[in-house]
Amino acid sequence: MSSTALAAALVLGLVTGPASPALAAAGTDARTAAGQFAQREATGRAPDAGALRAAIQGLPKDDATAALVRVSGSGGDWRGTAGVHDLASGRPADPDGRFRAGSVTKVFTAAVVLQLAGEGRLGLDRPVRHYLPDLVPAAYEGVTVRQLLNHTSGIPSVGSGGGPDDAYAHRFDLHDPVRTVREATSRKPDFVPGTQQHYANIGYTVAGLLIERVTGDTYASQVSRRVLEPLHLKDTYFPGTDPAIRGPHNRGYQLFGTGELRDVTVWGATDAWAAGDLISTTADLERFTRALFGGRVVRGPLLREMFTLPDPSVREYGTGEPAAYSAGLSVMRLGGREVWGKTGGRWGYNTAVAATRDLSRTLVYSVNSTDAKGEGMNPTALDIVVAAFGAPSAG
């Protein structure tokens, strides 16, 4: 597997910054040891508690201030918490704290779109313009609902493109999804729909508006009624225009170019909306993952959409690597096993949900990373993934 493919598969929408050389070397040793164990591990064995403890030991450190981890499956469960609630007090991190789940939100959005397809209220192969004629122009008449979900629509991304300082200065700005979509679709497509894959938020912003148009209800209300309430996800919610995290939570920090570490816990998420504004806990996300993979959220043939990649001829936009995203999820091989999941990154917070298709092993983590929008994968997050499933392996 090439380094580009590995990054695309492991990151699954999450990018965080590199640690110092000393920390990176230590992380490499931990990943090697954990990978050697996990690759020998048979399905159904207990989680390697030692490797998992090693993955989160020593927090806070350069790349992260806290980590909350839950591993479950047929071999048993493991729970781990490390780091601090906040740097000022130094008190232990709250294992039940809420956090920003980032692009894990997309899994919830995809699930509701697939539910609506199952009810016959929309068709995955129907053009999006059929439902949103006033929003999607003729230049994008070939884009289907399925292509929104698996990132093959060709609709270009929009955004400021600035670094952390620019984002920080605009952290309380309010963003209108309709305006965002109009700006994106006023531009030339990145590629012919269905021919390439480009992971981005824009398809899920359109999907959120599609949910609202088809149901006549708000996106947040539909996800709450269809997913959060039936599964009793009592600590999961959509913040709307509120930039704060309600209830107990651990503080998030961002390392800026000057070397300054700022508290970025209070930060608006309207720019992400249906693509990344969810706030949740590890317990709730574990419950959701098990219900989703178990067929209790999306049922029947439509669930297979979440475990089906585009045609092999579809390659990643800009790199030519194989497509790695399905409707809401992504896949790679870890420890010799196929693992499906999704990660998310908001300033100060990185999150992941991942599982084997048969639920013999599941993982949920929240890492309070100090560069949640940088290049590469956060070392602590990577160590957790490898400790839970094993080292990346070729197909």
Side-chain angles (χ1 to χ4, degrees), residues 293 337-340 354-362 389:
F293 281 50
R337 293 173 292 182
E338 192 172 81
V339 176
W340 292 84
T356 54
R357 184 67 182 87
D358 63 359
L359 291 172
S360 61
R361 175 63 50 83
T362 70
F389 290 109

Side-chain angles (χ1 to χ4, degrees), residues 56-61 64-68 80-87 90-95 250-251 368:
I56 61 174
Q57 69 181 359
L59 298 181
K61 55 185 180 181
T65 59
L68 316 178
T81 302
V84 296
H85 168 271
D86 65 279
L87 292 175
R91 63 186 175 92
D94 182 350
N250 301 306
R251 309 296 294 187
N368 293 56

